Amino acid sequence: MSTSVLFTAGCPQGSTLGPKVFNIYCHDLIDNIEGHLTLYVDDSYVIVNSPTPQDLRMNASSTIAKHHERLESNSRVCNIEKTEMLLFNVPADDEFLVKINDIEIKPQKVMKVLGLYFNSKLDWDYQVMSTTKR
C-alpha cells in the first residue's frame, strides 16, 4: 500500500524525476547570471573575471547579489555562512570583500570544490598534501 504526501516545493530526494525537476527549477539561474555559473546538485559556483581588481570587485559584488536575489525570489536558500570566494591572478589585497546582506565574504587561501582543493596559484600542493595525509 502506498501513501500519498503533498509537497509544496521541490520533490522527494532520490526520486527518478528529481534531477530533471532540479534542472527545470534552476534553469532561470543560468539565464540571469553574468559570468559563468556551474551547478552541481545543491552547490553553485559563480565565476567572474574582469581586467582590473576594481572592476572585479564591482562585477563580483553585483553578480553574487543577483544570484542571491534570484535564489530568494524562487524560494531557494543561499547559505551565506558557507559562501566562499577564491581569487586568481589578483594581487594580495586584504580589503577585497564582497558583501551579501551586509555579511562580508573575504577571499580564502584554499577552497574545496567537489572534493578537490584549489588555491589562488592553481598549483596542486595543498591537494597532494591533503591526499597523502589520508
Side-chain angles (χ1 to χ4, degrees):
M1 176 179 203
S2 297
T3 304
S4 296
V5 178
L6 175 65
F7 287 95
T8 58
C11 64
Q13 184 174 357
S15 70
T16 55
L17 286 178
K20 291 284 186 202
V21 171
F22 179 79
N23 286 337
I24 292 167
Y25 200 52
C26 290
H27 185 73
D28 66 319
L29 282 175
I30 296 167
D31 293 338
N32 292 289
I33 289 292
E34 296 167 19
H36 179 79
L37 177 67
T38 299
L39 298 169
Y40 184 78
V41 189
D42 63 346
D43 290 336
S44 55
Y45 303 93
V46 180
I47 302 167
V48 180
N49 63 4
S50 293
T52 67
Q54 295 78 17
D55 288 342
L56 181 62
R57 185 177 290 111
M58 287 182 2
N59 289 345
S61 294
S62 67
T63 300
I64 199 68
K66 286 178 189 176
H67 184 56
H68 187 260
E69 287 171 21
R70 199 71 180 172
L71 288 170
E72 285 188 339
S73 72
N74 287 304
S75 301
R76 290 175 259 174
V77 177
C78 175
N79 189 340
I80 298 173
E81 288 78 27
K82 288 185 175 181
T83 301
E84 296 178 304
M85 175 175 44
L86 187 62
L87 301 174
F88 302 103
N89 283 338
V90 176
D93 182 0
D94 293 338
E95 299 302 314
F96 198 104
L97 301 172
V98 173
K99 288 188 177 185
I100 304 173
N101 292 348
D102 294 327
I103 296 175
E104 295 179 345
I105 310 298
K106 295 180 182 181
Q108 303 295 312
K109 294 183 189 293
V110 175
M111 191 168 118
K112 189 175 184 181
V113 178
L114 302 176
L116 292 176
Y117 291 98
F118 291 89
N119 65 18
S120 58
K121 298 176 195 170
L122 283 177
D123 62 31
W124 289 100
D125 293 348
Y126 196 87
Q127 177 65 36
V128 171
M129 184 180 67
S130 170
T131 304
T132 55
K133 280 185 179 178
R134 285 188 266 145

